[in-house]
Amino acid sequence: MKPLPFLASALTGILLTATLSGPALAATPETHTNTPGASAADGTPSERTVDAQTDEVTTLPVDSSDVTIIGATWEGEDPELEIRTRDGNSWSAWESLPTDDEGGPDAVSAEAAQLPAASHQSQSVALPVLDSDTVEVRAADKQADTDDLQITQVSTAVTKADAQVAKSAGGVSTHSATGPAVDAQISAKDLRAKIVTRKQWGADEKLVRCATDKTSSAKGVFIHHTAGSNSYSKAQAPAIIRGYLAFHTQNRGWCDLGYNFLVDKYGTMYEGRAGSLDKAVTGAHASGFNSWTIGISVLGTYSSAAPSSAAQTSVKRPVAWKAGQYGFNPTGKMTLTSGGGGTSKYALGKKVSLSVVAGHRDTSYTEYPGLAFYNKLGSIRTGAKALVPELTPPPTKAPTKSPAPKPKTYPTKGAIGSYYQKNAGKTGKPVGSEKKLKNPNGAYQSFAKGTVYWSKSTGAHFLTKGQIRVAYKRVKYEKGVLGFPSSDKQTFKYRKSARYQRFHSGMITWSPQTGSDVIYGGFLTKWKKLGYERSKLGLPTADRTVKNGVKRQNFERGYMTYTKKTGIKVHTRR
């Protein structure tokens, strides 16, 4: 991901999902406005998500005293989103809100298996916004074939407790762990430095979705930066981290905060993913290479300027601390086996030799950490190695190295396998084995981006994760009135924003205005004769209903009814 060149205090914060619009811009046909979600006084993040359109500006009122994170998700083509912020009467320039190429759980991990379907959609970076009262988001490509575009907004208040952390945390301390300079902030005496615990920075443990994986040891460290402005204050840093916890768990579906440790520009260290202080906890910081590694991220963007010397010094200490704990050499090499994933440079099962202290860009298609920070990794390696004797705990029992888990793969075969070979980019990799179906007879196989169904009469077709799938579930999948898919998802010829998918006995339609609806039988035959989406009725707005013997289906500009006595009647609104 390319670094975002936002001006000083324009953007720093936490992702929040919201779709709003305010006063229309010169070249913008429509805007919508919504009031900002109120953040809790205790610093608990509040979240809002709204639908957006590629031909509209989404305006998000925010509280300038809060830390706010803005992010987007969509299906289909990248709309090339842009964002700007206002502080008082002054607007920043429009800047890119690019597609996220960050980390995530390893594809074959238990954490990945529990991800909700929505987390597989394309998504933007999670961008912190600071000291702003309004945010606007727009699509540079207004003609993009984009579905289900949503904006999320997560807001977090800066609390008195945050100010106290800022006052007492400071940077590193080389005093003895039992000396007066190391107070309640210390959580691991062997680090011999202050570290802000999850309780102290206000982690809401109810947001944690699941227990995270652990390994018996660690082989090395991945270094990151989080993106966003570098102009945050000491007191804003804990609020930013609370926002990331909420965004990573509730929006991306991860078990917990993605990083094991975080460091701010002032040199303050923070406990990240729970358990990281004394265990080799698997994070979500480097897709495909989370197992057996530790993720450390510095708050901010460091493409043109490196982190402060205080931040760099603080990064060296947990590297040295963990090197002593797990017996790795900060200036050495490690061999890892790729767990695969969409952002990984290396295929599933590929063995890769890396520096023990590596940058995220070494294994993923990303520019993280920024080049200025990446160029400092050499000095961080040597500095950490020099600290190892000081920070190595007394020897206890030598850690037992366990072999890396063998990645699980799923074969494809027959018609479903042939479809996958031709459409792998559309389906993603298989995430389960082929399953047989009876009554009606057929088969299906789950893939990263949806499901391929097959039957003898319909052939193999792909059902994406989205609103059409939701409607298909509503009518009990292939066992319901529709049967198996008989086509892939398609765009209506005369309604470019609307989609449809054919099934053995009917059709599901979708548009941003109407949602997803099932139509079949005589109503579908009649609608076809009227001209489908060009008809005087427009698109369906609901599934068929039956009341007092009368079958009815509503449309945008009217409805159809059926009884045995009258047959199908078309009613249009005047």
Side-chain angles (χ1 to χ4, degrees), residues 284-313:
H285 52 272
S287 181
F289 294 89
N290 294 304
S291 292
W292 307 91
T293 65
I294 298 159
I296 302 175
S297 192
V298 178
L299 299 182
T301 298
Y302 301 101
S303 301
S304 57
S308 66
S309 58
Q312 292 184 54
T313 299

mmCIF file of all heavy atoms in Angstrom, residues 284-313:
data_model
loop_
_atom_site.group_PDB
_atom_site.id
_atom_site.type_symbol
_atom_site.label_atom_id
_atom_site.label_comp_id
_atom_site.label_asym_id
_atom_site.label_seq_id
_atom_site.Cartn_x
_atom_site.Cartn_y
_atom_site.Cartn_z
ATOM 1 N N ALA A 284 -2.084 -11.083 13.698
ATOM 2 C CA ALA A 284 -2.653 -10.980 12.348
ATOM 3 C C ALA A 284 -1.925 -9.864 11.613
ATOM 4 O O ALA A 284 -2.516 -9.075 10.892
ATOM 5 C CB ALA A 284 -4.148 -10.702 12.428
ATOM 6 N N HIS A 285 -0.605 -9.796 11.829
ATOM 7 C CA HIS A 285 0.186 -8.660 11.357
ATOM 8 C C HIS A 285 0.845 -8.892 10.011
ATOM 9 O O HIS A 285 1.259 -7.934 9.353
ATOM 10 C CB HIS A 285 1.283 -8.341 12.388
ATOM 11 C CG HIS A 285 2.112 -9.529 12.761
ATOM 12 N ND1 HIS A 285 1.754 -10.380 13.792
ATOM 13 C CD2 HIS A 285 3.259 -10.043 12.252
ATOM 14 C CE1 HIS A 285 2.654 -11.345 13.898
ATOM 15 N NE2 HIS A 285 3.571 -11.170 12.973
ATOM 16 N N ALA A 286 0.985 -10.136 9.564
ATOM 17 C CA ALA A 286 1.709 -10.420 8.316
ATOM 18 C C ALA A 286 1.092 -11.655 7.674
ATOM 19 O O ALA A 286 1.532 -12.774 7.908
ATOM 20 C CB ALA A 286 3.196 -10.640 8.581
ATOM 21 N N SER A 287 0.050 -11.457 6.890
ATOM 22 C CA SER A 287 -0.710 -12.557 6.313
ATOM 23 C C SER A 287 0.198 -13.613 5.701
ATOM 24 O O SER A 287 1.038 -13.326 4.861
ATOM 25 C CB SER A 287 -1.665 -12.023 5.237
ATOM 26 O OG SER A 287 -2.422 -13.065 4.684
ATOM 27 N N GLY A 288 0.034 -14.852 6.147
ATOM 28 C CA GLY A 288 0.847 -15.958 5.666
ATOM 29 C C GLY A 288 2.072 -16.238 6.514
ATOM 30 O O GLY A 288 2.672 -17.313 6.399
ATOM 31 N N PHE A 289 2.463 -15.283 7.367
ATOM 32 C CA PHE A 289 3.698 -15.430 8.154
ATOM 33 C C PHE A 289 3.495 -15.008 9.611
ATOM 34 O O PHE A 289 4.422 -14.545 10.271
ATOM 35 C CB PHE A 289 4.824 -14.616 7.521
ATOM 36 C CG PHE A 289 5.245 -15.134 6.172
ATOM 37 C CD1 PHE A 289 4.615 -14.689 5.026
ATOM 38 C CD2 PHE A 289 6.233 -16.095 6.045
ATOM 39 C CE1 PHE A 289 4.972 -15.178 3.773
ATOM 40 C CE2 PHE A 289 6.605 -16.583 4.811
ATOM 41 C CZ PHE A 289 5.973 -16.130 3.661
ATOM 42 N N ASN A 290 2.269 -15.152 10.123
ATOM 43 C CA ASN A 290 1.987 -14.780 11.508
ATOM 44 C C ASN A 290 2.531 -15.800 12.505
ATOM 45 O O ASN A 290 3.019 -15.425 13.568
ATOM 46 C CB ASN A 290 0.471 -14.634 11.697
ATOM 47 C CG ASN A 290 -0.114 -13.490 10.918
ATOM 48 O OD1 ASN A 290 0.313 -12.354 11.068
ATOM 49 N ND2 ASN A 290 -1.103 -13.772 10.076
ATOM 50 N N SER A 291 2.420 -17.089 12.151
ATOM 51 C CA SER A 291 2.871 -18.122 13.075
ATOM 52 C C SER A 291 4.382 -18.045 13.282
ATOM 53 O O SER A 291 5.128 -17.815 12.332
ATOM 54 C CB SER A 291 2.506 -19.511 12.534
ATOM 55 O OG SER A 291 1.107 -19.695 12.547
ATOM 56 N N TRP A 292 4.807 -18.187 14.533
ATOM 57 C CA TRP A 292 6.218 -18.198 14.910
ATOM 58 C C TRP A 292 6.881 -16.828 14.791
ATOM 59 O O TRP A 292 8.094 -16.726 14.792
ATOM 60 C CB TRP A 292 7.001 -19.240 14.090
ATOM 61 C CG TRP A 292 6.382 -20.601 14.158
ATOM 62 C CD1 TRP A 292 5.441 -21.121 13.304
ATOM 63 C CD2 TRP A 292 6.608 -21.599 15.133
ATOM 64 N NE1 TRP A 292 5.083 -22.379 13.691
ATOM 65 C CE2 TRP A 292 5.788 -22.713 14.811
ATOM 66 C CE3 TRP A 292 7.453 -21.674 16.249
ATOM 67 C CZ2 TRP A 292 5.770 -23.865 15.575
ATOM 68 C CZ3 TRP A 292 7.437 -22.838 17.006
ATOM 69 C CH2 TRP A 292 6.608 -23.923 16.666
ATOM 70 N N THR A 293 6.099 -15.754 14.685
ATOM 71 C CA THR A 293 6.684 -14.414 14.614
ATOM 72 C C THR A 293 5.926 -13.459 15.540
ATOM 73 O O THR A 293 4.818 -13.751 15.984
ATOM 74 C CB THR A 293 6.657 -13.844 13.186
ATOM 75 O OG1 THR A 293 5.292 -13.639 12.761
ATOM 76 C CG2 THR A 293 7.360 -14.778 12.214
ATOM 77 N N ILE A 294 6.547 -12.311 15.795
ATOM 78 C CA ILE A 294 5.992 -11.265 16.659
ATOM 79 C C ILE A 294 5.831 -10.000 15.816
ATOM 80 O O ILE A 294 6.734 -9.639 15.052
ATOM 81 C CB ILE A 294 6.928 -10.991 17.842
ATOM 82 C CG1 ILE A 294 7.062 -12.249 18.706
ATOM 83 C CG2 ILE A 294 6.458 -9.803 18.679
ATOM 84 C CD1 ILE A 294 8.301 -12.255 19.575
ATOM 85 N N GLY A 295 4.691 -9.326 15.933
ATOM 86 C CA GLY A 295 4.439 -8.102 15.174
ATOM 87 C C GLY A 295 4.557 -6.869 16.053
ATOM 88 O O GLY A 295 3.883 -6.765 17.079
ATOM 89 N N ILE A 296 5.424 -5.925 15.653
ATOM 90 C CA ILE A 296 5.583 -4.645 16.373
ATOM 91 C C ILE A 296 5.288 -3.521 15.389
ATOM 92 O O ILE A 296 5.898 -3.462 14.313
ATOM 93 C CB ILE A 296 7.001 -4.481 16.943
ATOM 94 C CG1 ILE A 296 7.343 -5.639 17.878
ATOM 95 C CG2 ILE A 296 7.137 -3.140 17.671
ATOM 96 C CD1 ILE A 296 8.784 -5.609 18.391
ATOM 97 N N SER A 297 4.369 -2.623 15.741
ATOM 98 C CA SER A 297 3.982 -1.549 14.827
ATOM 99 C C SER A 297 4.122 -0.196 15.516
ATOM 100 O O SER A 297 3.757 -0.035 16.682
ATOM 101 C CB SER A 297 2.533 -1.733 14.363
ATOM 102 O OG SER A 297 2.230 -0.876 13.286
ATOM 103 N N VAL A 298 4.653 0.783 14.767
ATOM 104 C CA VAL A 298 4.783 2.159 15.269
ATOM 105 C C VAL A 298 3.619 2.977 14.723
ATOM 106 O O VAL A 298 3.321 2.929 13.519
ATOM 107 C CB VAL A 298 6.126 2.776 14.848
ATOM 108 C CG1 VAL A 298 6.222 4.218 15.328
ATOM 109 C CG2 VAL A 298 7.282 1.963 15.416
ATOM 110 N N LEU A 299 2.941 3.726 15.588
ATOM 111 C CA LEU A 299 1.808 4.548 15.171
ATOM 112 C C LEU A 299 2.279 5.651 14.230
ATOM 113 O O LEU A 299 3.189 6.413 14.554
ATOM 114 C CB LEU A 299 1.118 5.173 16.384
ATOM 115 C CG LEU A 299 0.523 4.217 17.437
ATOM 116 C CD1 LEU A 299 -0.161 5.034 18.529
ATOM 117 C CD2 LEU A 299 -0.466 3.258 16.804
ATOM 118 N N GLY A 300 1.645 5.730 13.041
ATOM 119 C CA GLY A 300 1.976 6.798 12.095
ATOM 120 C C GLY A 300 2.424 6.256 10.754
ATOM 121 O O GLY A 300 2.386 5.054 10.490
ATOM 122 N N THR A 301 2.858 7.187 9.882
ATOM 123 C CA THR A 301 3.343 6.859 8.536
ATOM 124 C C THR A 301 4.800 7.289 8.415
ATOM 125 O O THR A 301 5.145 8.426 8.763
ATOM 126 C CB THR A 301 2.511 7.593 7.463
ATOM 127 O OG1 THR A 301 1.154 7.156 7.565
ATOM 128 C CG2 THR A 301 3.025 7.295 6.063
ATOM 129 N N TYR A 302 5.660 6.401 7.897
ATOM 130 C CA TYR A 302 7.098 6.681 7.870
ATOM 131 C C TYR A 302 7.692 6.351 6.495
ATOM 132 O O TYR A 302 8.609 5.563 6.374
ATOM 133 C CB TYR A 302 7.790 5.926 9.006
ATOM 134 C CG TYR A 302 7.226 6.335 10.343
ATOM 135 C CD1 TYR A 302 6.296 5.527 11.003
ATOM 136 C CD2 TYR A 302 7.551 7.563 10.903
ATOM 137 C CE1 TYR A 302 5.735 5.930 12.201
ATOM 138 C CE2 TYR A 302 6.990 7.970 12.102
ATOM 139 C CZ TYR A 302 6.088 7.151 12.750
ATOM 140 O OH TYR A 302 5.528 7.561 13.925
ATOM 141 N N SER A 303 7.123 6.975 5.475
ATOM 142 C CA SER A 303 7.607 6.778 4.108
ATOM 143 C C SER A 303 8.746 7.729 3.774
ATOM 144 O O SER A 303 9.766 7.328 3.217
ATOM 145 C CB SER A 303 6.458 6.969 3.120
ATOM 146 O OG SER A 303 5.425 6.055 3.392
ATOM 147 N N SER A 304 8.586 9.015 4.129
ATOM 148 C CA SER A 304 9.610 10.011 3.805
ATOM 149 C C SER A 304 10.464 10.382 5.008
ATOM 150 O O SER A 304 11.572 10.897 4.849
ATOM 151 C CB SER A 304 8.941 11.273 3.241
ATOM 152 O OG SER A 304 7.997 11.791 4.155
ATOM 153 N N ALA A 305 9.968 10.156 6.205
ATOM 154 C CA ALA A 305 10.737 10.446 7.426
ATOM 155 C C ALA A 305 10.654 9.244 8.352
ATOM 156 O O ALA A 305 9.588 8.643 8.512
ATOM 157 C CB ALA A 305 10.183 11.691 8.127
ATOM 158 N N ALA A 306 11.783 8.883 8.940
ATOM 159 C CA ALA A 306 11.834 7.730 9.840
ATOM 160 C C ALA A 306 11.179 8.069 11.180
ATOM 161 O O ALA A 306 11.007 9.244 11.522
ATOM 162 C CB ALA A 306 13.281 7.301 10.058
ATOM 163 N N PRO A 307 10.775 7.072 11.972
ATOM 164 C CA PRO A 307 10.258 7.348 13.313
ATOM 165 C C PRO A 307 11.302 8.072 14.157
ATOM 166 O O PRO A 307 12.503 8.030 13.881
ATOM 167 C CB PRO A 307 9.969 5.946 13.875
ATOM 168 C CG PRO A 307 9.873 5.060 12.690
ATOM 169 C CD PRO A 307 10.785 5.644 11.663
ATOM 170 N N SER A 308 10.829 8.705 15.208
ATOM 171 C CA SER A 308 11.723 9.417 16.117
ATOM 172 C C SER A 308 12.746 8.462 16.720
ATOM 173 O O SER A 308 12.552 7.245 16.751
ATOM 174 C CB SER A 308 10.906 10.059 17.235
ATOM 175 O OG SER A 308 10.315 9.049 18.044
ATOM 176 N N SER A 309 13.843 9.036 17.216
ATOM 177 C CA SER A 309 14.859 8.196 17.858
ATOM 178 C C SER A 309 14.284 7.509 19.089
ATOM 179 O O SER A 309 14.655 6.368 19.416
ATOM 180 C CB SER A 309 16.074 9.055 18.250
ATOM 181 O OG SER A 309 15.681 10.113 19.119
ATOM 182 N N ALA A 310 13.346 8.180 19.798
ATOM 183 C CA ALA A 310 12.710 7.564 20.966
ATOM 184 C C ALA A 310 11.924 6.325 20.556
ATOM 185 O O ALA A 310 11.964 5.288 21.226
ATOM 186 C CB ALA A 310 11.790 8.561 21.656
ATOM 187 N N ALA A 311 11.190 6.418 19.432
ATOM 188 C CA ALA A 311 10.415 5.270 18.955
ATOM 189 C C ALA A 311 11.340 4.140 18.529
ATOM 190 O O ALA A 311 11.095 2.969 18.838
ATOM 191 C CB ALA A 311 9.516 5.693 17.798
ATOM 192 N N GLN A 312 12.419 4.467 17.809
ATOM 193 C CA GLN A 312 13.349 3.426 17.360
ATOM 194 C C GLN A 312 14.012 2.723 18.545
ATOM 195 O O GLN A 312 14.168 1.503 18.543
ATOM 196 C CB GLN A 312 14.414 4.041 16.453
ATOM 197 C CG GLN A 312 13.870 4.528 15.114
ATOM 198 C CD GLN A 312 14.960 5.051 14.205
ATOM 199 O OE1 GLN A 312 15.944 4.366 13.939
ATOM 200 N NE2 GLN A 312 14.808 6.287 13.740
ATOM 201 N N THR A 313 14.386 3.498 19.571
ATOM 202 C CA THR A 313 14.978 2.899 20.766
ATOM 203 C C THR A 313 14.004 1.949 21.440
ATOM 204 O O THR A 313 14.373 0.858 21.886
ATOM 205 C CB THR A 313 15.408 4.002 21.749
ATOM 206 O OG1 THR A 313 16.397 4.824 21.118
ATOM 207 C CG2 THR A 313 15.977 3.406 23.025
#
